[in-house]
Amino acid sequence: MKLQRKNGLRTTALGALAVSGALVLTACGSDNNTGAPDGAAKTGAASNITCDGAKGQLLASGSSAQKNAMDLWVKNYMAACPGVEINYKSSSSGEGIIAFNQGTVGFAGSDSALKPEEVAESKKICKTGQGINLPMVGGPVAIGYNLPGVKDLVLDAPTIAKIFNDKIKKWDDPAIAKLNPEAKLPGTAIQAFHRSEDSGTTQNLGKYLGKAAKADWPYEAEKKWPAPGGQAASGSSGVAAQVKQVEGAIGYFELSYATSQSIPAVQIDTGAAAPVAATTENASKAIGAAKIKGTGKDLALELDYTTKAEGAYPIVLVTYEVVCDAGNKADTLGTVKSFLTYTASDEGQKVLAEADYAPIPAEINKKVRETINGLS
């Protein structure tokens, strides 16, 4: 019943909100923060969203990994703050950072932290500061598959690497059979799908494979898909759609896409006592062990992709909201601070769990809130 309730919430929100990958809504409701407006109450919105300083339209873009969470955040926020329009274009992490460094958006979503050269570029836009990373959304990268009759498929890092590196081509390959001794694996050809555009999700998968399957994944962890073979699709939604439609397919995307489309996800043999399923709880165990590697106000995290902790799902990502620590545009600063204050709040983070994402650990999130409060 719990899963049905969450899926119903997400389906209702997405059906009302998603239009061609971009979200443009017109708000209505009351800014009386003593109680939740009607629209907010229906989606579990916070009753204490503060709209102080927010006005007009705020453009943002980037990561498609956080789209399902962003849809709900925007709906709740705009229901509480009439006259404010948040327009988040779900594209890719790479496109979001480009837009941010061109000064066309108030913030960007990225599934990987800014590179040094991207930080340097941001100083042209953040006149008195620079771009920083605020971890806002966590969750597992699910390895979804379409193999009728095969449930609870188990793979390990070397096998996943060989599949996506075009080295394993059939589902009844001995390496897969060894990990699934009781499964009746067909000789179906493997159809591997990857992202067509620069993607932080791709980069996070690459980090995992590069750490946990070094011998079988000889590529640098970059946003651009590096391996030969396979087929490309646009966005997490595009990859998920292909896996859903094509028998023998396998692809990678955030858990919310797998859940919403009833796509089974691979369990990962990490070397722990039992294979680990892609769940928000298991992802939280991995993210909770992350360390802050950023300096100053930058809160970029270092994740352990080789964890063997019991119940810790290793293929995780953290989506950052990229903002200027100082030098934000005066006409959007108030809205950026107000909106991100909500997304980082207890209420905003609770929305993540309802949409199959993992909330940011409390200790890290406390620093996120302090940093948002100090944006200028």
Side-chain angles (χ1 to χ4, degrees):
M1 292 298 293
K2 183 178 181 181
L3 182 59
Q4 292 175 349
R5 177 180 64 81
K6 291 192 295 185
N7 284 348
L9 171 63
R10 179 171 54 256
T11 301
T12 300
L14 294 182
L17 299 176
V19 180
S20 302
L23 181 62
V24 184
L25 299 176
T26 302
C28 61
S30 169
D31 59 356
N32 181 353
N33 293 323
T34 61
D38 292 341
K42 293 177 181 178
T43 59
S47 61
N48 60 348
I49 293 176
T50 301
C51 309
D52 294 347
K55 60 182 180 179
Q57 183 185 64
L58 173 63
L59 301 179
S61 69
S63 166
S64 66
Q66 68 172 355
K67 179 186 183 300
N68 293 345
M70 190 62 71
D71 285 350
L72 293 174
W73 278 336
V74 170
K75 180 179 178 67
N76 293 347
Y77 180 83
M78 290 176 54
C81 300
V84 181
E85 183 180 297
I86 309 294
N87 181 340
Y88 182 81
K89 180 182 179 182
S90 172
S91 52
S92 69
S93 298
E95 292 174 79
I97 290 174
I98 289 173
F100 178 77
N101 280 340
Q102 290 177 341
T104 60
V105 296
F107 72 88
S110 177
D111 306 329
S112 55
L114 292 168
K115 294 180 180 180
E117 58 268 28
E118 292 170 337
V119 173
E121 185 72 15
S122 73
K123 294 179 181 180
K124 298 176 183 178
I125 298 300
C126 309
K127 299 297 185 181
T128 57
Q130 65 181 42
I132 58 172
N133 305 283
L134 301 178
M136 198 68 70
V137 181
V141 177
I143 306 296
Y145 66 97
N146 183 338
L147 208 57
V150 178
K151 298 181 179 180
D152 303 322
L153 184 71
V154 176
L155 298 176
D156 59 13
T159 307
I160 294 171
K162 291 173 184 175
I163 288 173
F164 283 108
N165 199 21
D166 204 31
K167 300 299 184 183
I168 292 179
K169 301 177 183 291
K170 300 285 187 179
W171 278 110
D172 59 356
D173 187 275
I176 301 177
K178 184 178 179 180
L179 292 164
N180 300 272
E182 298 181 4
K184 294 182 179 180
L185 297 168
T188 308
I190 294 174
Q191 305 284 339
F193 287 89
H194 57 263
R195 293 282 289 275
S196 60
E197 74 286 6
D198 286 2
S199 161
T201 310
T202 293
Q203 188 170 39
N204 277 275
L205 177 64
K207 288 178 181 179
Y208 164 70
L209 294 176
K211 295 288 186 180
K214 294 180 181 179
D216 300 296
W217 194 256
Y219 309 106
E220 293 295 324
E222 299 290 348
K223 294 186 179 75
K224 184 178 180 62
W225 182 254
Q231 302 175 61
S234 178
S236 291
S237 59
V239 175
Q242 290 298 317
V243 173
K244 178 72 172 179
Q245 295 169 10
V246 178
E247 186 170 332
I250 188 169
Y252 58 94
F253 32 79
E254 293 66 43
L255 180 62
S256 61
Y257 291 92
T259 303
S260 64
Q261 299 190 48
S262 299
I263 299 171
V266 166
Q267 297 180 37
I268 306 299
D269 183 346
T270 64
V276 185
T279 68
T280 56
E281 294 81 6
N282 292 344
S284 291
K285 292 179 182 178
I287 296 172
K291 306 295 183 184
I292 294 176
K293 66 177 181 179
T295 58
K297 295 182 179 180
D298 184 75
L299 300 178
L301 302 178
E302 182 175 357
L303 299 166
D304 181 6
Y305 294 98
T306 61
T307 180
K308 295 182 181 179
E310 297 300 327
Y313 185 80
I315 318 178
V316 294
L317 62 74
V318 170
T319 296
Y320 301 95
E321 311 310 341
V322 176
V323 297
C324 296
D325 59 355
N328 287 277
K329 294 180 180 179
D331 59 342
T332 57
L333 174 60
T335 309
V336 168
K337 292 180 67 172
S338 174
F339 179 66
L340 295 184
T341 293
Y342 162 57
T343 65
S345 69
D346 289 340
E347 295 85 353
Q349 290 291 296
K350 183 180 179 180
V351 167
L352 297 180
E354 295 174 348
D356 291 322
Y357 295 94
I360 299 300
E363 182 178 346
I364 296 172
N365 196 42
K366 179 182 178 182
K367 296 180 180 179
V368 172
R369 296 179 191 179
E370 292 172 352
T371 302
I372 293 170
N373 186 56
L375 297 179
S376 63

